[in-house]
Amino acid sequence: MKPSELPRRAGVGFKPEHFANINATGQPIGFFEVHAENYMGAGGPPHAQLSRLREDYALSVHGVGLSIGSMQPLEREHLARLKVVCDRYEPESFSEHLAWSTHDSVFLNDLLPLPYTEVTLARVVEHINEVQSMLKRQMLLENPATYLLFEESTIEETAFLSEIARRTGCGLLLDVNNVFVASTNHHMDPRDYLARFPIDHVREIHLSGHSETIDDLGAPLLIDSHDTPVKDPVWALYEELIARTGPIASLVEWDNDVPDWPVLQAEAEAADAILRRAASDLAA
């Protein structure tokens, strides 16, 4: 089973509108990440662009449609298409979400939360083992941004993730923005959450922007919207984390209202600066 070996640099999510800028001159980017489902067709411009990028950059493939947390079986055709993508591009990392998105034959275009119980734990472990066996590579599992809690949950989220990693050998993808969003929504301290997170299993970090709204009761509600720069409190959490762990491959996600390339590049440069400082401090 192939482990994740992304460079301990900052990367960005690849968007086709940025291809000309990226391809014009070499970019100081550690890696690119793509959504697996966008490359499940046989050919065309998406594959032509990604094949060109793959010649020069490390690659992370991020899935959004496996429905790892569903109680129903994984869709075998989707898993087979995912294997074709991974075999074709041999990414340094493959990751998916701790979420579900299917019910019977219906695919829901969202990443939905699940209760943390012994039953759901066993099901997620079963699904991850199936994925890793099919792909013959390690999978990373991402912590969710959540907007509600389940009364039936009996396991704390960080313990749930830790046990999944222990039972399956999978790695973890730590989304710092998701930590901040969920902690704020549930009136918890994100630093306490990060202190309990099984950091030894983390192979990649995500950073992104979020938006602020108000719930039905008039209380603040954060949404993991991926449509703004990384917010200052998330940068602060990230810098504290990296000072403790040392450099970890870190991705800037920006999926909606995508800016021009220089704006996204500047976000990656900010993350890279934090990674360089941490490396320098460890070497001192």
Side-chain angles (χ1 to χ4, degrees), residues 24-59:
T25 57
Q27 301 294 333
I29 296 295
F31 64 99
F32 285 98
E33 185 163 284
V34 297
H35 287 170
E37 288 73 13
N38 291 336
Y39 296 87
M40 288 183 173
H47 283 292
Q49 291 180 348
L50 188 57
S51 295
R52 174 66 189 89
L53 290 182
R54 191 67 179 106
E55 294 174 8
D56 298 324
Y57 300 96
L59 179 66

Side-chain angles (χ1 to χ4, degrees), residues 87-102:
D87 288 349
R88 181 171 186 170
Y89 290 104
E90 289 290 324
E92 282 77 6
S93 178
F94 166 70
S95 55
E96 250 287 358
H97 299 80
L98 179 59
W100 62 277
S101 54
T102 53

Side-chain angles (χ1 to χ4, degrees), residues 134-254:
M134 179 73 167
L135 299 185
K136 295 181 172 56
R137 65 177 61 242
Q138 184 186 52
M139 179 187 129
L140 309 186
L141 185 66
E142 179 180 343
N143 60 293
T146 55
Y147 310 97
L148 55 83
L149 298 174
F150 291 90
E151 289 185 355
E152 59 263 48
S153 289
T154 58
I155 307 172
E156 199 272 332
E157 184 173 281
T158 55
F160 194 84
L161 288 163
S162 180
E163 186 63 11
I164 290 169
R166 186 189 72 80
R167 293 191 193 183
T168 67
C170 78
L172 298 177
L173 192 165
L174 174 53
D175 191 310
V176 180
N177 184 65
N178 286 357
V179 171
F180 183 76
V181 166
S183 296
T184 301
N185 289 341
H186 305 317
H187 310 290
M188 300 185 298
D189 186 341
R191 288 172 175 82
D192 287 346
Y193 179 97
L194 289 173
R196 297 190 303 273
F197 201 89
I199 204 70
D200 289 346
H201 296 286
V202 174
R203 302 292 178 264
E204 184 180 345
I205 288 174
H206 275 187
L207 299 161
S208 63
H210 58 261
S211 56
E212 302 177 15
T213 185
I214 295 175
D215 66 17
D216 292 341
L217 300 177
L221 181 70
L222 301 187
I223 304 296
D224 180 38
S225 53
H226 294 196
D227 60 358
T228 71
V230 179
K231 301 295 178 65
D232 288 345
V234 176
W235 279 126
L237 285 176
Y238 173 67
E239 189 158 14
E240 291 171 17
L241 176 70
I242 292 300
R244 176 160 60 93
T245 65
I248 297 174
S250 300
L251 180 90
V252 176
E253 294 183 290
W254 200 323

